[in-house]
């Protein structure tokens, strides 16, 4: 199990390194070409994953799967929506994020039967075929007319005027960039750490393993609703205030852990944690085009997503070390609550 966890961590960190390059490719070559390349590569790495025998091959497969799947395809999809939609952009991104979240939640349930019948290797290879069969036609025919990089249609704002690309060096000097990036990284760190150890964390609060695992259901449901609600809200409210709300929700969920027990309190805890995490990711996707336009959006989101994915890689280990030092999960979880609380307090003043 330790070798598997190490392979996952290495694969996640190495995969995060590729995201800034994928983002730059989107700005240079356009979403269609990059999505085709990412889908083809993702399918290849899934095929490799279905054939691996040793830890080295597993690690390499994890690198590609994390970089091209969770990182690259999510990055290109939300960036494509932000570029193509100029009115009610937040609502459109919310729909995209909610559908993606639903897919992440439902695909394991669907593949479980395939694994039972044919084995995990056949299931992973089937996923590779599904990526090629579904994503490639969307990229080739479904994204016609979407900006094609520097050589294609210019990025335009909601008023139809051509947008001027912000240089990345100018963007990273703004406090808003660090607020958004910090919120996404903090959300990924906190939720991944707690979700990874959820059975043990809630077990200390008196929940059985079955009850702790069942808590993922209200988390997922709340996350779906929050993905759409917070993204749609960016069409009406300042994204920085919505970020403050998401971070406050996460901090509040973590702080209520001492009173969590079987029943209503566990459900409220799970819903608040899931909604805060999903809301932060959704607001990030809409906030960057809101503040900086779409001309450099791929480069910008690639950098941010790289930071966010990296934070998820080290999160489970950090909480595990905290539990070993304190003898319980409660002190390190309460310590983690400080991070979203600080961002929530700073957001309105950025």
């Amino acid at each position: 199990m330790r070798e598997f966890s190490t392979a996952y961590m290495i694969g996640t960190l190495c995969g995060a390194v590729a995201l800034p390059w994928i983002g730059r490719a989107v700005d240079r070559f356009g979403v269609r070409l990059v999505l085709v390349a990412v889908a083809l590569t993702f399918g290849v790495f899934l095929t490799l994953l279905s054939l691996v025998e040793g830890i080295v091959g597993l690690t390499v497969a994890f690198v590609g799967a994390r970089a091209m799947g969770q990182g690259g395809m999510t990055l290109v999809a939300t960036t494509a929506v932000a570029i193509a939609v100029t009115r009610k952009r937040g609502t459109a991104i919310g729909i995209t994020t909610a559908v993606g979240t639903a897919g992440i939640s439902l695909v394991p349930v669907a593949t479980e039967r395939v694994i039972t019948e044919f084995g995990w290797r056949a299931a992973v290879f089937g996923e590779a075929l599904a990526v090629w069969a579904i994503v490639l036609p969307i990229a080739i025919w479904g994204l016609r007319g979407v900006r094609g990089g520097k050589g294609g249609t210019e990025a335009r704002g909601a008023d139809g005027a051509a947008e001027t690309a912000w240089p990345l060096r100018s963007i990273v000097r703004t406090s808003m960039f660090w607020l958004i990036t910090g919120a996404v990284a903090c959300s990924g760190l906190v939720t991944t750490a707690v979700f990874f150890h959820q059975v043990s964390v809630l077990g200390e609060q008196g929940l059985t393993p079955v009850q702790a695992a069942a808590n993922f259901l209200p988390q997922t449901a709340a996350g779906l609703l929050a993905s759409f609600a917070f993204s749609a809200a960016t069409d009406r409210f300042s994204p920085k205030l919505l970020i403050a709300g998401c971070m406050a929700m996460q901090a509040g969920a973590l702080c209520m852990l001492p009173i969590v027990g079987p029943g209503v309190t566990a459900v409220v805890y799970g819903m608040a944690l899931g909604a805060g995490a999903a809301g932060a990711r959704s607001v990030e996707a809409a906030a960057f085009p809101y503040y900086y336009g779409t001309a450099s959006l791929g480069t910008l989101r690639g950098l941010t997503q790289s930071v966010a994915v990296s934070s998820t890689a080290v999160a489970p280990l950090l909480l595990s070390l905290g539990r070993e030092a304190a003898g319980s999960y409660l002190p390190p979880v309460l310590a983690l609550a400080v991070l979203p609380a600080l961002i929530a307090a700073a957001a309105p003043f950025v």
Side-chain angles (χ1 to χ4, degrees):
M1 185 64 181
R2 180 176 298 180
E3 289 183 347
F4 180 84
S5 299
T6 302
Y8 178 81
M9 184 178 70
I10 294 174
T12 299
L13 290 174
C14 292
V17 174
L19 294 181
W21 299 97
I22 295 175
R24 291 181 183 180
V26 169
D27 291 333
R28 183 172 183 180
F29 302 109
V31 292
R32 291 181 68 198
L33 183 59
V34 175
L35 185 56
V36 168
V38 167
L40 286 172
T41 308
F42 185 33
V44 169
F45 275 106
L46 286 175
T47 303
L48 173 63
L49 184 60
S50 71
L51 300 173
V52 295
E53 296 290 346
I55 192 65
V56 175
L58 181 65
T59 303
V60 173
F62 271 147
V63 171
R66 293 289 284 178
M68 299 299 158
Q70 183 182 22
M73 291 189 68
T74 301
L75 169 65
V76 177
T78 52
T79 301
V81 173
I83 291 172
V85 180
T86 57
R87 298 185 183 276
K88 299 294 184 182
R89 178 180 281 154
T91 302
I93 292 175
I95 294 172
T96 304
T97 306
V99 171
T101 302
I104 292 173
S105 302
L106 296 176
V107 165
V109 178
T111 57
E112 182 180 2
R113 180 168 298 179
V114 178
I115 293 173
T116 302
E117 293 290 334
F118 303 102
W120 69 268
R121 294 183 185 275
V124 173
F125 182 64
E127 290 176 345
L129 296 179
V131 169
W132 289 331
I134 297 173
V135 179
L136 288 178
I138 292 175
I140 296 171
W141 293 290
L143 295 180
R144 290 181 177 179
V146 180
R147 180 167 64 90
K150 292 183 178 179
T153 307
E154 283 187 299
R156 296 187 177 274
D159 58 358
E163 294 182 354
T164 301
W166 280 58
L168 184 60
R169 62 179 178 273
S170 298
I171 293 175
V172 298
R173 292 173 183 169
T174 63
S175 57
M176 185 58 66
F177 168 80
W178 292 108
L179 171 70
I180 298 171
T181 303
V184 175
C186 174
S187 178
L189 174 69
V190 169
T191 55
T192 302
V194 177
F195 291 168
F196 194 89
H197 297 283
Q198 177 154 294
V199 173
S200 299
V201 170
L202 295 181
E204 288 188 354
Q205 300 304 121
L207 276 73
T208 66
V210 173
Q211 290 172 330
N215 201 255
F216 280 114
L217 295 177
Q219 289 169 7
T220 301
L224 286 171
L225 294 175
S227 294
F228 177 77
F230 276 97
S231 285
T234 60
D235 293 328
R236 294 176 174 268
F237 305 102
S238 170
K240 70 178 182 179
L241 298 181
L242 298 175
I243 288 175
C246 293
M247 292 294 99
M249 193 179 300
Q250 282 193 343
L254 296 176
C255 288
M256 73 172 291
L257 184 60
I259 65 171
V260 168
V264 176
T265 54
V267 173
V268 173
Y269 161 83
M271 293 182 66
L273 204 57
R281 292 191 297 268
S282 298
V283 173
E284 177 266 339
F288 277 136
Y290 178 92
Y291 288 114
Y292 303 111
T294 61
S296 301
L297 185 59
T299 301
L300 186 55
R301 296 203 65 235
L303 177 59
T304 305
Q305 290 301 307
S306 178
V307 174
V309 171
S310 298
S311 72
T312 66
V314 299
L317 180 60
L318 287 177
L319 187 56
S320 180
L321 293 175
R323 193 260 181 190
E324 291 180 4
S328 170
Y329 282 107
L330 189 57
V333 168
L334 293 178
L336 285 177
V338 175
L339 297 176
L342 289 175
I343 295 176
F349 304 100
V350 170

